[in-house]
Each structure stands twice: as C-alpha cells, then as structure tokens.
Amino acid sequence: MATASRVFGKPAMVGPDTTAKVRNAAAALGYVANPTARALATGSSGLLGLIVPDLSSPYFATLISAIQTEIEGRGFELIVSDSRGVPETEHEIVQRLQGRVDGLILASPRNTDSVLISIARRLPIVTVNRELPGIDSVSIDVSDGLADLCRFLLDHGHQRIAYIGGPPGSLADDGRFQSVEAAMEAGNGTALRIGPVQPNAQAGAETLSAIQLSNVSAVIAYNALVAHGLMLAAVSEGLNVPRDLTVTAVDDLIDIGLSLPTVTAITQPMTEVGQKSAGIILALISGSHEELQQRPPHQAQHLVLSASLSVNKS
Amino acid sequence: MATASRVFGKPAMVGPDTTAKVRNAAAALGYVANPTARALATGSSGLLGLIVPDLSSPYFATLISAIQTEIEGRGFELIVSDSRGVPETEHEIVQRLQGRVDGLILASPRNTDSVLISIARRLPIVTVNRELPGIDSVSIDVSDGLADLCRFLLDHGHQRIAYIGGPPGSLADDGRFQSVEAAMEAGNGTALRIGPVQPNAQAGAETLSAIQLSNVSAVIAYNALVAHGLMLAAVSEGLNVPRDLTVTAVDDLIDIGLSLPTVTAITQPMTEVGQKSAGIILALISGSHEELQQRPPHQAQHLVLSASLSVNKS
DNA sequence: TTGTACGCGTTATCAT
DNA sequence: ATGATAACGCGTACAA
C-alpha cells in the first residue's frame, strides 16, 4: 500500500521490478490516484485560482489561456471566477477559494490595498496590473505606449482629443488619463476626459453624442471594445472613420487576431503576463517555506512589461 | 465535533442556542470548513470541469462566463482546460480531471464517439455541439441559419460562393458545408469548398489567394475570426468589402459586442448554451442516484438551440 | 528496499 | 438534539 503510493509519488525510492508490478496492477484495476485524498494528506490541492473582473472579455481570455498553458504539466489545474468588477464579490470569491486552492492570481483587482494585503497574509497571491507593497505582481506599463500614441496623433494634426475612460473604480483609469493629458500638453494639445464607462462596445457606442459635442478629431478609448463600439456608432451615423473621427485604444484584440481596421491600438503582452504570473505563483507555492516566510515584505517582485504602439495603415 | 459539522452542513438538525455557540467559536478561531476534507468524506468535490478546444477564443470565453455564472452560488467551482483541439490531449485532460471533478462539460469535443461514450460511463458529462446516444448534450443548430444566409446571398445576386471550412477534424464542418451546398443548389447557385483551416484570423487571411482564384463574389466562413482575417487581407489588397467581395460567417463575436461591420453573421446563443449545459450537469450530479442510473441510455436529452441570421446594414 | 500504523479534517452511523 | 467513533484514500514517519 505504501509502496503503491511511492510508485506514483517518489518513483526513485522503489525497485524497478516492484514498480512494474504495481503499475501493471494499477492498469489492470483501472486505478487512478485520488487527488482529494492526496490533497488532504499533503495539505496542498494542486489547484490554482484566478479571479478576473470579466470572464467574457477577450482580454482576459488570452490571460486565462496563457496561465492554463503554463501550469499544465506542472500538476496544477485552474479554477476561474468572475467578480464582475465588484469589490465585495471579489472578496467573497477569495473566501470561497481560500482553503481550496494553493494560490491565487488576482487580475485587475478592485479591492482596496488593505483588503488585498490582508488576503496575501492568508494565501499566496499574485496581482496583475496592481502593485502593492509586499505582494508580487505583474503589470503592464501603458504610459510609454500612450505617450507614443499621443505624439502620433499630434503628428497627424490632432490637437484636441478625447480620452474615454473606464471602467468605474479602476485605478488604472486615472493613471492613463494623466499620461494622455501630460503627453498632449507637452505637444501643445488638449485632452478631454469622458467617462468612466463600462468597458464594452455598447458603452463605447453611447459616448458618440458626447464625442460629437466635444468637437474633437480623435479619441483614445480605454480598450478596443469601447473603441469598436464607438467606431460602429460613428459609421452608422454617416461619419467616415478615420477621416472624420480617428479612433484609437489602449487595449487591443490583436491577441486573438482581431486587429481592427481604422483603429490604431496599443499592444499589451497578455500571454507573457499570464506566463509570468503563473510562474511566480508556482514559485511562491513551492518555496513558501523558505522564501515566502523569510523574505521581508518589501522584497516582493514587481514585473513590469511594456505595452507598445501598433499602428494600422488604414 | 459532529455538532460543529452539522451547524454548517445541516443547520436544521441542531438547536438554536447550540448553533449560536458554535458559530461564535468558529468566528473567534477563524475557523473555515476545509473543502478538501469534506470532499473526501462526502465523495463529491464541488468542482466542475470544462474542456474547450481553444481557451483564448472569444467564442468559448462567452461560454465559460455563462457556465461560471450559472454554477456560482450553487456551491460549485469551475476548472477550465484547453485541449488545443487535439483528441489525445482532450483525453489526457479527462483522465486528469477524473476523480477531481463531479462532472464534466465537453465543448466541441474532438474525440471519437466511442471514446466519449466510454468517458460518460465513468463520469457525468454533457457535450456541447456534439450529440451522441446516451449522452446529454446542448447543441446549436446552424443549418437553418445557413439556409437563410444562402438565400440572402442569392437574393443579392451571389450565384457562386465559397465556404471556408475548419477546423480540421471538426465534424460540424461537414454538416455546415452540406447545408450551404444544399441551400445554394436549391437556388440554382454553386458552393465551392475551401479548407479546412484553423479557426483564426491568420488562417482566414491566408485563404485570400484561393478565394481570388476561385472567382466567387461572396464567402461564408467557418467563424468570424476567419472571416475577419480574410476581410482584412482583402482590404489591404485594395479590394472593396463588401462590394468586390462579400464576407459572411457562421460564428460571430456579437456576444462581446463586436458585430463586425461589413460582415453579415449568424448569431449563436452561447450564453444560453452555457446556462443549459451547466444546468444539466448539475442535475445529473444531484440526481445521479435515481435518474442517471435508471434512465435508459437512449433517453438522454439533447437540447438544440437555433442560430439566427443577423444582417448588417453596411 | 519494503511493509505497518497513524494522521489529515470532515461526514455519516450509531448510540445516547 | 447531541456526542462518540468509524470511515473516506492517501502520504509518511517508523520499523523491519
């Protein structure tokens, strides 16, 4: 019985012939190790949790895909959950998953710093697009990409542009507007702020009237969905995009092969973000005894990947 | 100890005052029930598995979102995995998840009928877009939508069209081409078959030369990604879409608010598919003792939802 | 190298 | 209504 356990757990500690016998017997009986019992005995479940604000978004679909690919073969499975961008819901999910998973990846978390820090005390976590003291994270820096984008727009004669922000409650939103505003003003331009709005095409379409009233020639949207919705609305109103209105976005759908025409976007390396965050959480779990406990809180690592400008010809 | 268990499991079987005492003690000690131990004792994990051919596809992102929403609050978590469309990988994932989950949803499975049926003998499963004897399923019927689409194209003067199929190994592909062929011939038109190709924009773009050689005026693509890739390629070659080439697709991105301009598409009710399949698998798990065992294999239910034509104005 | 016995934290059975 | 105890299936000291 113990030998059987070792054959699957520590193959090195058992004789070759015995191993063969056990494996044959296992195959004959259709035996498969019970992960639940193993989890109870070892204290770790082989489960990782991922919480995102919107499961249906292609932005996070790419992230999920990358994380799942990364942990596959390392003996881990991925549990996904959707917080709908609500801080309370996000926290409830953490409670549910607590004790069920070995670690948690929080993508674009909506909770306050203190809540997140208290979560990190109970469970290994990695945050995506949110940097906090003592918590490992992977973020994408869009400020350079935004500055590039603003210069690109200024070069093409757009002095007065609008920034459509969103979603409500997103800390990234403020930072993005500030980047845009600074870059525009550095080029003697102006950036108007519209929103925040929900990050979907419908909400983007609904900003059209405000855009038209504001008399801008170009728009930078929070993400490609918003941009696309706005573009569709503009086109169906008879506007020529990009001649009458240039639509650009921070986010993009390039990962799924959907680089939108007439929309210049900023590429975010979501696959790499997924790989990095998965790698970190696995390292945290494995080395939790040595590293995690000893390492002073302020030594958490923050990986920052850069977004880059992707210019469409049209 | 047993009483504490009952307070959380069957609150009705314990006195009000005792309940209060236990709850207070639990709160004071920060006690949370251990899901793993509970799973070992009860035999069910509260985990559901979902296997898709491509996690990064927005098509499945919508499905994931719907399933997760449906099982949330019913005490279940969702484990997602990506088979990359490879039958062997799909089967390996099933083996891994076997014993870990209480039930499995197989979306667009690539395995043979017999393999799927043998899986169903060991584990409650529901298939999506695949109907097999004895296995509950939820499918989308696109044949009516395709017939509508063909008539729409014929009405607009397209006698000769191309169907771009894919992905390789998809049974749905054959059925779709047959629907298209039948509908076109019924209107004295012709349907040429191109592919199969991978269901992404890149592959769609690569079909352009074949399309141009085939001298067709309209195209029906396997999904919106393929259609979009083709459209981008056509536009960048100087073609006017839809004047020079009308691009349509079976699949669509309407669920995420991305109804593509110049692409007339067939709407698939993915959210409803997710709800239905989740509901069925939960019912199977709950009533597995009475229903599942007794019910003759051929009485499995097959829910078939209809896809509908969505015509864009442009 | 292999076998024995205990513990992981909970639920279910039985008795009270 | 409540309390004691045996499983659930595995990993792991410990002994052989």
Side-chain angles (χ1 to χ4, degrees), chain B residues 41-64:
Chain B
T42 59
S44 61
S45 61
L47 258 33
L48 247 46
L50 170 67
I51 304 178
V52 301
D54 183 9
L55 267 180
S56 63
S57 160
Y59 180 79
F60 292 111
T62 305
L63 182 69
I64 295 172

Side-chain angles (χ1 to χ4, degrees), chain A residues 35-36 38-47 76 100 102 285, chain B residues 36 100:
Chain A
T36 306
R38 175 176 299 192
L40 186 58
T42 60
S44 60
S45 60
L47 258 34
F76 282 83
R100 201 181 247 294
D102 295 338
I285 293 169
Chain B
T36 306
R100 204 183 244 299

